[in-house]
Amino acid sequence: MKRIVMLLKSRIYAGAEKIAITIMQNLKEEYEFYYVSPYGEIAQRLEAESLSYIPLSDFQIKEIRSIVRNLRPDLIHAHDFSASAAASLLKDWHGKPKVISHLHYNARENQRWGKKAMIYRVALNRIDQVVCVSDAVAKEAVFKRALEGKTKVLGNPIDAVRIQTMAVAERGEDWIEKAEKKEEVYLYDIVFVGRFTKQKDPEKLIRIIARLKKSGQLVKAAFIGTGELEESCDRLILQYGLEEQVHRLGYLENPYPIIKRSRLLCMTSKEEGFGLAVAEAMVLGVPVLVSKVGGMKTLLGADAEEFCETEQEYVEKIKRLLQDPIFYQAAKKRSRRRADCFCEVESYMEEMRKLYRELILR
């Protein structure tokens, strides 16, 4: 059985990590997989899924090289830029193992020449295949010419049945009673799902909620995720007096019941590749409001009503969604309609099978 290393720099479980695990789950009968990353909360998820995990003490090339030499994999599937650059240094003189660079978001650093873009451009010489989650990732990169001939655009797999099943897994008797009466039951007006990083910009959404409060529109919001901006967000919540309105729920193994029982999902990202959380919300029929960045234009369409370019535009559209039932129902219908077009897991896995087979046999 051919051996594949999933290489990631992160310690947590979020979008890229979810895709790596989904691939391992679906192709583990065909390939011997090892997930390699710095030790963190991801370990619990991998253990729960009974997947092989080799933890790193830190993301240092010396330690990664030692693991790769011991495993002797046929292929390294590196997720995002740092892991891809590291993987490019691990090939021997015979060009083994093969390297896939899987880019999950449209990083601004790669839209202009700088240290990060230059490192990745050099790494491309030793990368065999690049997988992008949207056209924007490749088209907007400053090194796009070097991507020609080795890039495949492959949107993230969406297991709609699984998401819908998990969304109703934790509903209580109160919901069942109201559902029988055909009443809508919401826990939150707004939900945010993502890492607490500069790219996802959760601070912007907190400022938007403060603007809503100042305008007289009180909302209840759930923030799902962890990351480096947690303390900064907590300070903003206190600064604006939003302790009763904004609930930070941290990492949730199953966020779907919260998403399903929220009136809308807001993503205020500065950068976005595919927008997995947005896609999953639409599978659940939840309206979305998003920044007009990266893969969002592919996911929603270039002129989608869901785009917001300023904080004030978010405020105005949130208020209309919450106050205008006809406008809100139209937004729900758009979400459901778009969800029908997403890449299903089986077709995604067939594409990944072909890619692995071609690279390993090359």
Side-chain angles (χ1 to χ4, degrees), residues 81 84-86 88 118-127 150:
F81 298 93
S84 299
S88 73
M118 292 176 69
I119 289 172
Y120 188 76
R121 172 62 187 87
V122 173
L124 278 171
N125 295 326
R126 295 169 63 84
I127 288 171
K150 63 167 62 179

Side-chain angles (χ1 to χ4, degrees), residues 184-189 260-263 328-329 332:
E184 290 280 15
V185 183
Y186 295 107
L187 292 176
Y188 294 97
D189 298 300
K260 179 70 175 176
R261 297 177 70 180
S262 297
R263 291 179 64 82
Y328 183 78
Q329 290 303 319
K332 284 179 73 73

Side-chain angles (χ1 to χ4, degrees), residues 65-313:
R65 189 187 300 278
S66 175
I67 290 170
V68 168
R69 282 176 176 170
N70 288 333
L71 289 177
R72 299 177 64 84
D74 298 279
L75 185 147
I76 299 175
H77 191 154
H79 295 262
D80 285 328
F81 298 93
S82 297
S84 299
S88 73
L89 300 174
L90 302 174
K91 300 181 75 166
D92 62 24
W93 293 109
H94 303 288
K96 295 182 179 180
K98 300 297 184 182
V99 174
I100 293 177
S101 171
H102 199 147
L103 306 182
H104 293 272
Y105 71 103
N106 193 16
R108 289 189 178 185
E109 294 96 326
N110 287 306
Q111 296 172 21
R112 58 185 181 275
W113 286 115
K115 182 179 178 181
K116 186 174 181 179
M118 292 176 69
I119 289 172
Y120 188 76
R121 172 62 187 87
V122 173
L124 278 171
N125 295 326
R126 295 169 63 84
I127 288 171
D128 300 283
Q129 180 74 50
V130 178
V131 175
C132 300
V133 292
S134 68
D135 287 320
V137 177
K139 289 181 178 179
E140 296 177 12
V142 70
F143 43 73
K144 59 185 176 183
R145 288 186 180 180
L147 293 172
E148 293 175 3
K150 63 167 62 179
T151 302
K152 184 177 186 64
V153 176
L154 192 57
N156 289 335
I158 305 295
D159 191 340
V161 173
R162 175 177 172 273
I163 291 169
Q164 290 162 353
T165 300
M166 292 179 69
V168 298
E170 299 174 13
R171 289 176 168 179
E173 294 180 3
D174 63 322
W175 183 88
I176 294 172
E177 182 181 342
K178 290 182 179 180
E180 289 174 348
K181 297 177 183 178
K182 296 185 178 180
E183 297 178 11
E184 290 280 15
V185 183
Y186 295 107
L187 292 176
Y188 294 97
D189 298 300
I190 297 170
V191 63
F192 170 97
V193 183
R195 299 181 186 180
F196 278 58
T197 62
K198 292 180 181 179
Q199 290 84 5
K200 297 293 184 180
D201 202 4
E203 296 167 311
K204 182 175 182 177
L205 184 53
I206 293 171
R207 293 194 299 270
I208 290 165
I209 293 169
R211 280 178 177 244
L212 285 163
K213 181 180 179 180
K214 189 174 182 180
S215 72
Q217 179 76 54
L218 293 177
V219 298
K220 190 176 179 182
F223 281 66
I224 300 173
T226 60
E228 63 199 41
L229 294 182
E230 289 180 69
E231 291 185 5
S232 175
C233 286
D234 286 341
R235 287 194 294 271
L236 276 180
I237 290 168
L238 289 172
Q239 178 183 330
Y240 291 118
L242 300 175
E243 300 94 322
E244 298 298 318
Q245 293 176 253
V246 177
H247 297 172
R248 276 216 311 107
L249 306 182
Y251 164 74
L252 297 180
E253 187 169 333
N254 179 11
Y256 304 119
I258 299 295
I259 298 172
K260 179 70 175 176
R261 297 177 70 180
S262 297
R263 291 179 64 82
L264 63 113
L265 177 137
C266 284
M267 298 300 287
T268 48
S269 308
K270 294 178 180 177
E271 303 168 0
E272 201 66 69
F274 176 77
L276 185 58
V278 175
E280 291 176 336
M282 290 194 289
V283 164
L284 296 173
V286 176
V288 300
L289 291 177
V290 302
S291 303
K292 194 173 184 179
V293 295
M296 291 293 93
K297 290 173 278 188
T298 303
L299 193 64
L300 299 175
D303 301 313
E305 293 183 52
E306 287 78 7
F307 289 132
C308 300
E309 299 196 40
T310 66
E311 291 184 10
Q312 186 57 35
E313 191 172 3

